[in-house]
Amino acid sequence: MTATAPVLVALHAHPDDEAIFTGGTIVRAVEAGWRVVLVVATDGDQGAGPDCGRTPLGARRRDETMAAAAVLGVARVVFLGHGDSGYGVPDGGRSGTATARSLQSGTLAAAHVDGVAAVVRRLMGDEGATALTSYDDNGIYGHVDHVQVHEIAARSVEGTECELYEATLDRRVLRVLRTGMVARGLLPDLWPPSLTARLGVEHGPAMVAVDVTPQLDRKLLAVAAHSSQVVEASSFMGLPAGVFHHLLRTEWFRVARRGRGRFLGMLEATDGLAPAPTESATVPAPGQGAARPVLTG
Ligand SMILES: [Zn+2]
């Protein structure tokens, strides 16, 4: 790293979020000479899978995160040490649906946004952060911890020069995919229209799509490093496996704070920006990607 290398801080709620939602973009930034710092707010101790022998799930997931970070080329990993609030989602839950666990002290959902933001802001200052990534205001799919990360990030960049990009999913793409899947008679029951309506955000001018096809192999290796969460032939957020894998080739961000636009400039300079979706978007063939690892959520 040179003294002038731009710095991307990727703020995430749980181990594996970094790989699924931003893994390809992280690899792209590293390839372009950026220093990437991964900040994970919880150790994901409420994730799928039992504690393994004497190793609690949270400890195992921290190890998995370090392995995934190494695959992605992340320079530094910071755990903020909050408790996972558990998957208590979404009834459309815009502001994050509270779960019994999320109200317990120690969880990220129960943490004071200003306090966590102060920690993140100090870290951003130490690193000389150029850009920060977080999640859209629905936490991509309504998870309370993700919504909290959205709030923390928005607070963290206040009064700084740091650019802010919020990971999301493009609902228009999801609708096109669903239409195509239904037309083929594929598993419509697993993917009701109500699901499409509550994942990600509507397409808009502030949204950018990052093509991570060249980075996909490393992204999938990073996803697979979270082996406690990998279950083959399952689905993620209700999406059929083929569709989920199709989506992994693209990472969407809402440009919340463009600033000097250095992060967007990097994406543009490396041909990383994908064109806006059209009605003719390709729909995955039956079984496509079925051999690849899928997370349960
Ligand atoms: Zn998560």
Side-chain angles (χ1 to χ4, degrees):
M1 169 194 154
T2 68
T4 56
V7 177
L8 173 66
V9 175
L11 177 62
H12 284 283
H14 313 105
D16 77 24
D17 290 326
E18 85 293 345
I20 296 169
F21 298 115
T22 64
T25 303
I26 286 174
V27 173
R28 195 175 267 284
V30 170
E31 288 171 348
W34 285 52
R35 171 179 168 85
V36 177
V37 177
L38 171 62
V39 181
V40 189
T42 79
D43 62 7
D45 62 88
Q46 296 298 302
D51 289 350
C52 300
R54 270 167 282 166
T55 309
L57 181 60
R60 181 173 172 191
R61 295 197 72 187
R62 284 195 296 276
D63 289 345
E64 291 171 352
T65 303
M66 298 308 291
V71 169
L72 297 175
V74 167
R76 179 185 174 197
V77 182
V78 179
F79 290 96
L80 297 184
H82 297 279
D84 183 348
S85 305
Y87 187 66
V89 210
D91 215 10
R94 219 197 81 79
S95 57
T97 309
T99 64
R101 181 173 163 81
S102 73
L103 301 174
Q104 294 172 13
S105 71
T107 64
L108 181 61
H112 199 269
V113 168
D114 284 337
V116 186
V119 171
V120 174
R121 186 199 299 253
R122 194 156 50 240
L123 188 144
M124 287 164 50
D126 291 346
E127 288 285 349
T130 310
L132 178 70
T133 65
S134 67
Y135 309 133
D136 68 45
D137 62 357
N138 186 37
I140 307 178
Y141 59 103
H143 195 301
V144 286
D145 286 340
H146 290 217
V147 173
Q148 189 80 325
V149 161
H150 164 84
E151 301 289 343
I152 291 163
R155 202 69 56 87
S156 300
V157 299
E158 281 175 8
T160 76
E161 300 277 301
C162 192
E163 303 169 19
L164 177 60
Y165 302 88
E166 297 171 349
T168 186
L169 296 169
D170 186 335
R171 275 186 198 158
R172 190 155 89 187
V173 169
L174 295 174
R175 279 197 297 269
V176 169
L177 280 172
R178 183 177 190 282
T179 302
M181 295 289 280
V182 170
R184 291 181 183 198
L186 297 174
L187 308 171
D189 291 347
L190 286 181
W191 193 11
S194 58
L195 180 70
T196 307
R198 67 177 186 240
L199 295 176
V201 298
E202 288 296 338
H203 186 85
M207 184 186 284
V208 293
V210 182
D211 175 11
V212 300
T213 305
Q215 292 79 27
L216 188 62
D217 285 348
R218 280 176 70 189
K219 172 175 180 169
L220 291 177
L221 273 177
V223 170
H226 294 281
S227 58
S228 68
Q229 305 301 295
V230 173
V231 178
E232 264 191 277
S234 183
S235 65
F236 183 70
M237 300 184 296
L239 300 175
V243 172
F244 178 51
H245 286 114
H246 182 77
L247 290 174
L248 286 179
R249 294 179 176 280
T250 308
E251 291 170 1
W252 289 269
F253 294 90
R254 196 184 146 266
V255 183
R257 207 160 186 266
R258 184 180 294 265
R260 292 167 61 196
R262 292 185 71 187
F263 185 67
L264 286 177
M266 177 277 292
L267 294 174
E268 205 160 18
T270 60
D271 282 333
L273 293 178
T278 66
E279 295 304 313
S280 60
T282 330
V283 175
Q288 182 177 322
R292 290 189 156 152
V294 186
L295 304 192
T296 52

